[in-house]
């Protein structure tokens, strides 16, 4: 046998095995599907829908209940006489064909059976649910009826016993109760006639109506109580308190209290209409507005009532504080006017003091108006309190400003004395610097020093002249004194540099004699002496120092260190 033949045989064997395995799998799958259909048929049979229909027929149903029964009974009859027998037959045939491996024929019949049984099972389940509801509806309706009628009677008894607590709403409430009474009668009649479905609908309507009324009644009570008790008592109290306050010379301008009370009574009348129409939520919103308006009136009266003790207690205190500040303001203006004759007030102190004095005088005028209004019975205490509190804060600020201003100008006298002392001191220092240079007996002074000396002397003379003027600008003089102080220090440093340079030139010249045989030293000595005679001491020092450093490195540094060490001793 060739290899090709072997392969063919093996392939055929494998194909046969695959086909057989596939047929076995399909057979088992279809067998399970048949079992599922059988289970559905059994489920429908175990529902005992025929027995339910017999029991329902005995109940003598009517109306919507009878219509419902007929609809679902018809549906079940069609299923039981046509659809289910067809499914039973298909399943039996499919099971036989599947057992003999007529798989495709079995498949077709199983599919047809599935298409029928699926909706049939769903319809049967729905039919069972409807029949169960119909069978139990009479009993359930009776239980619900008894529970609702009990709640209704208790509610009606309470409403009638406390009808005065509902005001104009009682008519609408009684109409609702009467409507429920009719609904109870209708539900009873429907049940007795066998129309349990419609009776259930009516009972559901009663339940919702009862729940809504139970929820509304507390709100209606509360709304009526606010309108007829709370608001009335508050408005009466407000009216009495207002009239008493007017008799006690309170003066209220923020709102016309009596007119506002009348407006609130009109709001209450409108709210009563909402109450009579059982517009509960709208009534609650309107009552909030009314309550807010009443609270606003209480706040107005309370504010005036609380403000009066403050005004009466502080009336004399305010007069004393304002009078004191008037006196202080006047004295400060006079003081600054006097000082202005001798000193330039560079920060507008005099003008500012006059503005503050005017502001205090305006406070005094306002205080006079306030006290006169109080005496005439036209004083709005809350407004006066607010005004006086602002005045007190401002008076404290003004007093602090004026004290600072007075302290600042008081320092002008001391500043002038300090300035004069400073000028005298600067003159002495400049004179000492000049005499110190003279004692050194140098050939002369450098031009830079003479220019600096002349500048400082002129600055001192200029400030001295300013201090002798009738009106002095101390701020300007103070700044100039600072500049003079800096310039005097510069002059002193320059004088020190001149003397030190001259001394070091002489010391270095003496030391350079060690190397007098060197031409470079001779030339440096000659050049240094020439510069020295021309008062150019620093350059003379640089010339000779450079020369000896070349001749003997480090020598000049030793001379310089020795010199400055001796100066410190």
């Amino acid at each position: 046998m060739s290899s090709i033949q072997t392969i063919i045989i093996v392939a055929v064997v494998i194909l046969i095995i695959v086909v057989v395995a596939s047929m076995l799998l399909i057979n088992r799958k279809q067998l399970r599907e048949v079992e599922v259909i059988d289970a559905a048929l059994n489920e429908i049979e175990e529902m005992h829908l025929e027995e339910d229909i017999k029991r329902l027929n005995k109940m003598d149903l009517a109306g919507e209940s009878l219509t419902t029964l007929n609809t679902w009974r018809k549906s079940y009859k069609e299923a039981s006489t046509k659809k289910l027998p067809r499914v039973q037959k298909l399943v039996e045939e499919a099971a036989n064909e599947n057992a003999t491996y007529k798989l495709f024929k079995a498949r077709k019949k199983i599919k047809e059976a599935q298409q029928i049984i699926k909706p049939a099972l769903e319809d049967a389940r729905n039919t069972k649910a409807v029949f169960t509801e119909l069978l139990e509806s009479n009993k359930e309706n009776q239980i619900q009826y008894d529970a609702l009628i009990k709640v209704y009677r208790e509610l009606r008894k309470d409403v009638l016993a406390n009808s005065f607590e509902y005001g104009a709403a009682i008519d609408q409430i009684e109409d609702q109760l009467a409507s429920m009474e009719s609904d109870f009668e209708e539900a009873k009649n429907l049940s007795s006639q066998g129309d349990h479905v419609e009776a259930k609908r009516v009972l559901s309507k009663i339940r919702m109506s009862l729940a809504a009324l139970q929820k509304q009644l507390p709100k209606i009570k509360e709304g009526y109580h606010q309108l007829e008790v709370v608001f009335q008592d508050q408005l009466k109290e407000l009216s009495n308190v207002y009239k008493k306050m007017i008799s006690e010379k309170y003066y209220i301008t923020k709102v016309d209290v009596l007119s506002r009370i009348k407006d609130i009574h009109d709001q209450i009348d409108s709210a009563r209409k909402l109450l009579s129409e059982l517009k509960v939520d709208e009534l609650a919103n309107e009552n909030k507005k009314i309550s807010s308006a009443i609270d606003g009136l209480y706040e107005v009266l309370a504010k005036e009532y609380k403000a009066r003790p403050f005004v009466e207690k502080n009336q004399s205190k305010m007069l004393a504080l304002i009078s004191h500040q008037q006196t202080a303001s006047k004295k400060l203006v006079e003081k600054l006017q006097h000082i202005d004759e001798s000193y330039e007030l560079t920060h507008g102190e005099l003008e500012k003091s006059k503005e503050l004095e005017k502001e205090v005088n305006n406070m005094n005028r306002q205080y006079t108006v306030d006290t006169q209004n109080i005496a005439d019975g036209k004083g709005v205490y809350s407004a006066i309190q607010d005004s006086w509190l602002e005045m007190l804060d401002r008076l404290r600020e003004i007093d602090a400003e004026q004290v600072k201003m007075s302290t600042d100008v008081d320092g002008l006298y001391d500043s002038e004395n300090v300035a004069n002392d400073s000028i005298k001191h600067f003159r002495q220092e400049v004179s000492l610097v000049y005499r110190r240079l003279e004692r050194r007996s140098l050939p002369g002074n450098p031009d830079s020093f003479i220019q600096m000396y002349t500048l400082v002397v002129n600055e001192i003379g200029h400030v001295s002249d300013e201090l002798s003027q009738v009106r002095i600008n101390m701020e300007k003089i103070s700044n100039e004194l600072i500049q003079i102080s800096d310039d005097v220090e510069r002059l002193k440093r320059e004088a020190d540099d001149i003397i030190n340079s001259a001394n070091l030139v002489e010391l270095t010249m003496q030391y350079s004699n060690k190397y007098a045989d060197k031409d470079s030293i001779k030339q440096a000595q000659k050049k240094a002496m020439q510069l020295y005679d021309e008062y150019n001491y620093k350059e003379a020092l640089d010339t000779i120092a450079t020369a000896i450093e070349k001749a003997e490195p480090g020598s000049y540094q030793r001379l310089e260190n020795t010199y400055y060490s001796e100066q410190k001793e």
Side-chain angles (χ1 to χ4, degrees):
M1 184 182 294
S2 66
S3 60
I4 295 174
Q5 290 176 329
T6 303
I7 292 170
I8 293 172
I9 293 171
V10 171
V12 169
V13 170
I14 292 172
L15 179 62
I16 293 170
I17 293 170
V18 170
V19 169
V20 171
S22 298
M23 290 179 67
L24 288 171
L25 290 172
I26 293 171
N27 177 272
R28 290 181 182 180
K29 178 176 179 294
Q30 291 185 166
L31 180 60
R32 287 195 296 272
E33 290 175 343
V34 168
E35 290 173 349
V36 169
I37 297 170
D38 269 335
L41 288 170
N42 290 334
E43 182 181 344
I44 295 172
E45 184 179 353
E46 289 173 0
M47 290 180 187
H48 304 297
L49 294 176
E50 286 289 351
E51 295 179 13
D52 288 345
I53 291 171
K54 291 177 183 178
R55 290 168 60 195
L56 288 168
N57 287 336
K58 292 178 182 179
M59 288 177 63
D60 295 325
L61 298 177
E64 185 67 25
S65 298
L66 181 59
T67 302
T68 301
L69 172 62
N70 289 336
T71 300
W72 289 97
R73 181 166 52 191
K74 182 180 178 182
S75 174
Y76 171 69
K77 185 175 181 181
E78 182 181 357
S80 62
T81 57
K82 296 180 180 179
K83 295 179 181 179
L84 297 181
R86 175 63 180 162
V87 170
Q88 186 67 48
K89 182 180 177 184
L90 288 169
V91 166
E92 289 174 357
E93 290 175 353
N96 292 331
E97 289 168 351
N98 193 60
T100 56
Y101 286 89
K102 297 175 181 178
L103 300 180
F104 291 106
K105 288 184 178 181
R107 172 76 261 164
K108 184 177 179 182
K109 290 178 180 177
I110 289 171
K111 189 172 182 181
E112 183 182 351
Q114 286 174 331
Q115 291 174 345
I116 298 171
I117 195 63
K118 186 174 181 181
L121 178 60
E122 186 67 25
D123 285 347
R125 287 171 177 169
N126 290 335
T127 302
K128 182 64 177 179
V130 171
F131 286 175
T132 300
E133 183 179 358
L134 286 172
L135 288 166
E136 296 178 357
S137 60
N138 184 38
K139 183 179 179 181
E140 288 179 358
N141 286 352
Q142 187 61 48
I143 293 172
Q144 189 174 11
Y145 179 93
D146 292 341
L148 290 174
I149 197 72
K150 181 179 180 182
V151 173
Y152 166 77
R153 286 170 179 166
E154 290 177 355
L155 186 64
R156 186 170 184 277
K157 180 181 178 182
D158 181 70
V159 168
L160 295 177
N162 301 288
S163 59
F164 62 90
E165 293 182 356
Y166 301 101
I170 191 62
D171 292 338
Q172 285 285 339
I173 295 171
E174 288 181 346
D175 287 346
Q176 287 192 19
L177 290 171
S179 177
M180 284 185 227
E181 184 82 39
S182 299
D183 288 340
F184 274 114
E185 188 64 29
E186 182 182 2
K188 187 176 182 180
N189 291 335
L190 287 169
S191 293
S192 64
Q193 293 169 8
D195 194 351
H196 303 296
V197 172
E198 186 62 18
K200 184 176 183 179
R201 185 192 65 76
V202 174
L203 288 171
S204 179
K205 175 188 172 186
I206 294 171
R207 183 174 66 256
M208 288 188 290
S209 298
L210 268 175
L213 187 58
Q214 284 177 313
K215 187 177 179 181
Q216 281 185 327
L217 288 178
K219 296 180 180 179
I220 295 169
K221 276 186 181 182
E222 177 61 23
Y224 173 76
H225 180 70
Q226 285 184 303
L227 290 175
E228 305 304 334
V229 179
V230 177
F231 295 158
Q232 299 300 328
D233 290 346
Q234 289 176 334
L235 291 174
K236 184 177 180 181
E237 181 181 39
L238 282 169
S239 180
N240 292 336
V241 170
Y242 174 72
K243 290 174 182 176
K244 183 180 179 184
M245 289 177 72
I246 294 301
S247 68
E248 294 175 354
K249 291 191 174 183
Y250 283 89
Y251 192 62
I252 299 170
T253 58
K254 186 174 182 180
V255 64
D256 186 339
V257 176
L258 295 179
S259 175
R260 190 71 191 94
I261 288 174
K262 182 179 179 302
D263 291 342
I264 294 173
H265 276 298
D266 292 340
Q267 284 181 271
I268 290 173
D269 288 339
S270 298
R272 287 192 181 109
K273 186 178 179 183
L274 296 174
L275 178 68
S276 66
E277 295 171 356
L278 289 190
K279 295 179 178 179
V280 178
D281 293 335
E282 293 179 41
L283 173 64
N285 290 332
E286 191 63 23
N287 280 359
K288 283 182 181 178
K289 294 177 183 177
I290 294 170
S291 179
S292 179
I294 291 174
D295 289 343
L297 286 180
Y298 271 113
E299 287 175 8
V300 170
L301 298 185
K303 189 174 182 181
E304 295 305 316
Y305 189 79
K306 292 176 182 177
R308 184 168 184 169
F310 171 86
V311 173
E312 291 175 345
K313 180 181 178 181
N314 290 284
Q315 187 168 338
S316 58
K317 180 181 178 181
M318 286 298 299
L319 177 60
L321 288 171
I322 293 172
S323 298
H324 168 76
Q325 207 61 46
Q326 278 185 302
T327 302
S329 299
K330 184 179 180 182
K331 286 182 178 179
L332 179 61
V333 171
E334 291 173 350
K335 177 180 179 178
L336 291 174
Q337 285 174 334
H338 177 70
I339 291 174
D340 191 53
E341 295 173 358
S342 302
Y343 299 94
E344 291 182 23
L345 300 174
T346 55
H347 297 288
E349 290 89 346
L350 182 56
E351 292 75 12
K352 181 62 177 176
S353 67
K354 289 179 179 178
E355 289 175 7
L356 295 177
E357 182 184 33
K358 182 179 178 181
E359 188 176 351
V360 174
N361 289 337
N362 287 337
M363 288 184 192
N364 185 59
R365 280 190 286 275
Q366 182 60 51
Y367 171 81
T368 303
V369 171
D370 291 340
T371 53
Q372 187 60 52
N373 284 336
I374 292 170
D376 295 340
K378 294 183 179 180
V380 181
Y381 288 104
S382 61
I384 293 172
Q385 180 185 31
D386 293 342
S387 174
W388 287 7
L389 286 171
E390 288 181 10
M391 281 186 193
L392 286 170
D393 288 340
R394 186 57 186 145
L395 283 170
R396 281 191 285 269
E397 292 174 358
I398 290 172
D399 183 62
E401 285 186 68
Q402 290 178 334
V403 168
K404 184 178 184 303
M405 212 180 296
S406 179
T407 302
D408 289 345
V409 296
D410 284 342
L412 290 174
Y413 296 110
D414 295 334
S415 297
E416 182 182 6
N417 292 330
V418 169
N420 281 312
D421 291 342
S422 296
I423 290 298
K424 189 181 296 184
H425 175 70
F426 291 148
R427 279 180 172 153
Q428 290 173 350
E429 284 197 299
V430 171
S431 177
L432 288 171
V433 169
Y434 196 80
R435 286 201 297 272
R436 183 181 170 205
L437 281 173
E438 284 184 332
R439 286 197 300 272
R440 182 62 181 77
S441 300
L442 295 171
N445 295 319
D447 289 341
S448 61
F449 175 80
I450 292 172
Q451 290 173 0
M452 190 65 197
Y453 174 80
T454 303
L455 172 66
V456 173
V457 169
N458 288 338
E459 286 177 339
I460 292 172
H462 175 70
V463 173
S464 181
D465 290 341
E466 287 184 326
L467 285 167
S468 65
Q469 298 297 314
V470 176
R471 290 179 77 240
I472 301 172
N473 186 332
M474 281 309 304
E475 184 173 3
K476 180 183 177 185
I477 289 172
S478 295
N479 291 332
E480 290 173 344
L481 288 172
I482 292 170
Q483 183 61 50
I484 291 173
S485 178
D486 292 341
D487 291 344
V488 168
E489 290 302 316
R490 285 173 56 198
L491 185 68
K492 288 161 69 176
R493 287 196 298 273
E494 189 156 346
D496 288 341
D497 287 345
I498 292 170
I499 292 171
N500 290 331
S501 295
N503 290 340
L504 283 168
V505 167
E506 294 176 0
L507 284 171
T508 308
M509 290 287 283
Q510 291 173 7
Y511 189 82
S512 67
N513 289 329
K514 288 174 59 178
Y515 305 99
D517 56 335
K518 289 188 177 184
D519 290 339
S520 60
I521 297 297
K522 288 180 181 180
Q523 290 176 3
Q525 288 177 336
K526 183 178 179 181
K527 179 64 174 176
M529 286 306 297
Q530 181 184 348
L531 291 170
Y532 186 89
D533 291 338
E534 292 173 355
Y535 324 140
N536 198 343
Y537 307 110
K538 292 181 182 177
E539 193 171 345
L541 178 60
D542 288 341
T543 300
I544 190 63
T546 301
I548 68 165
E549 274 294 310
K550 288 181 179 179
E552 184 185 341
S555 57
Y556 173 72
Q557 190 63 52
R558 290 195 302 275
L559 287 172
E560 187 181 54
N561 291 340
T562 301
Y563 170 78
Y564 281 113
S565 297
E566 291 173 353
Q567 294 296 313
K568 292 179 181 178
E569 293 177 358

